[in-house]
């Protein structure tokens, strides 16, 4: 079973901010939170990751709740090219790379 | 260019005919992994490898084999393919440092008839 829970779909308008939520209530203290996205007909693409603090990069921002049981991927100004399926996964230390992707959130961006 | 290369991109084969899907990365990554993606089921991990000669099962390993004899290569072997292995397959690699994400290949669309 997936260790993360995401809404099946979300919709946004172009040039508006988008907040994609992810719940991970069973996260352990050494789990990193990773986000990937998959554009149609392409392989998944790494977006951002974090452990405890909020993170920013050129693609997005990641806001992590204080108890780490949830996180939010923030796209500051959605473009049509951001329409994709977004996956939130947990990646832990401790010798296993068994990763569970879940079904992700399909983001639709309206012009 | 840093990349994960899968071959072939498309493959149609018959039930029972052994096949290998190759995966190669040029980034000197320790971790490599195989996934299959099916409509409505998302990405499911088949096998992963944390270094040369170290492999382990993911969520759906039945019917598949892997090997990691060299750091750069991680082939996926279907000894006796069946129609339920018709799927889109992705290979991915990552450095051991969890501060980096996985780089995925472009995918291999396999049809078993």
């Amino acid at each position: 079973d997936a260790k993360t829970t995401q809404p099946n779909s979300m919709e946004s308008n172009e040039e508006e901010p988008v907040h994609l939520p992810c719940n991970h209530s069973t996260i352990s203290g050494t789990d990193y939170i990773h986000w990937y996205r998959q554009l149609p007909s392409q392989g998944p693409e790494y977006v951002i990751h974090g452990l405890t603090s909020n993170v920013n990069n050129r693609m997005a921002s990641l806001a992590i709740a204080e108890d780490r049981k949830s996180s939010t991927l923030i796209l500051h100004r959605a473009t049509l090219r951001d329409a994709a399926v977004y996956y939130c996964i947990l990646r832990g230390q401790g010798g296993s790379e068994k990763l569970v992707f879940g079904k992700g959130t399909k983001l639709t961006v309206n012009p | 260019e840093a990349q994960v290369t899968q071959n072939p991109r498309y493959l149609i084969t018959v039930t029972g005919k052994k096949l290998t899907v190759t995966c190669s990365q040029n980034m000197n990554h320790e971790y490599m992994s195989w996934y299959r993606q099916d409509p409505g089921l998302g990405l499911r991990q088949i096998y992963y490898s944390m270094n040369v000669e170290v492999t382990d099962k993911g969520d759906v390993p039945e019917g598949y084999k892997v090997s990691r004899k060299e750091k750069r290569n991680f082939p996926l072997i279907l000894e006796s393919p069946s129609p339920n292995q018709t799927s889109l397959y992705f290979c991915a690699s990552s450095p051991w440092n969890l501060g980096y994400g996985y780089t995925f290949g472009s995918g291999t669309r396999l049809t078993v008839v």
Side-chain angles (χ1 to χ4, degrees):
Chain A
D1 289 339
K3 298 179 187 176
T4 61
T5 305
Q6 301 175 252
N8 290 334
S9 62
M10 291 186 65
E11 205 165 321
S12 172
N13 295 320
E14 206 174 3
E15 299 194 3
E16 290 184 355
V18 181
H19 291 234
L20 297 163
C22 180
N23 287 319
H24 27 79
S25 57
T26 59
I27 190 169
S28 74
T30 55
D31 282 345
Y32 282 78
I33 302 158
H34 279 238
W35 283 81
Y36 290 79
R37 72 179 185 180
Q38 188 174 21
L39 280 64
S41 303
Q42 294 188 25
E45 174 188 28
Y46 164 78
V47 177
I48 198 167
H49 76 279
L51 185 61
T52 55
S53 305
N54 295 345
V55 184
N56 300 297
N57 67 19
R58 63 175 179 81
M59 291 180 72
S61 296
L62 177 60
I64 301 172
E66 198 167 331
D67 64 4
R68 300 208 329 124
K69 294 185 177 182
S70 66
S71 61
T72 303
L73 180 71
I74 302 166
L75 307 178
H76 295 285
R77 292 183 64 195
T79 70
L80 297 178
R81 286 192 300 268
D82 292 322
V85 178
Y86 287 79
Y87 298 97
C88 161
I89 68 166
L90 303 180
R91 191 178 178 194
Q93 301 180 33
S96 172
E97 279 294 287
K98 190 167 184 177
L99 302 178
V100 180
F101 265 77
K103 298 181 183 179
T105 297
K106 183 175 183 179
L107 175 66
T108 300
V109 180
N110 300 313
Chain B
E1 180 189 354
Q3 59 185 358
V4 175
T5 303
Q6 294 178 230
N7 280 298
R9 288 293 307 277
Y10 301 91
L11 178 59
I12 301 174
T13 190
V14 297
T15 298
K17 185 177 180 183
K18 181 179 178 180
L19 67 91
T20 300
V21 183
T22 64
C23 174
S24 181
Q25 50 97 0
N26 61 1
M27 297 166 282
N28 202 36
H29 286 170
E30 286 77 15
Y31 293 168
M32 297 187 75
S33 193
W34 275 103
Y35 297 84
R36 62 177 289 174
Q37 187 169 36
D38 303 288
L41 296 176
L43 282 157
R44 294 180 294 168
Q45 192 180 45
I46 304 170
Y47 269 95
Y48 64 92
S49 169
M50 295 176 71
N51 215 323
V52 175
E53 302 291 3
V54 180
T55 63
D56 210 342
K57 296 177 181 179
D59 278 334
V60 289
E62 295 78 19
Y64 304 95
K65 284 177 56 176
V66 293
S67 68
R68 188 93 183 271
K69 293 184 170 55
E70 306 165 282
K71 199 171 187 179
R72 64 184 293 124
N73 295 324
F74 191 45
L76 180 69
I77 304 156
L78 285 72
E79 296 252 342
S80 183
S82 63
N84 65 12
Q85 292 178 298
T86 292
S87 187
L88 179 59
Y89 291 87
F90 290 102
C91 179
S93 74
S94 165
W96 67 269
N97 187 329
L98 296 187
Y100 294 86
Y102 270 86
T103 301
F104 280 79
S106 299
T108 295
R109 186 166 291 282
L110 172 65
T111 302
V112 184
V113 299

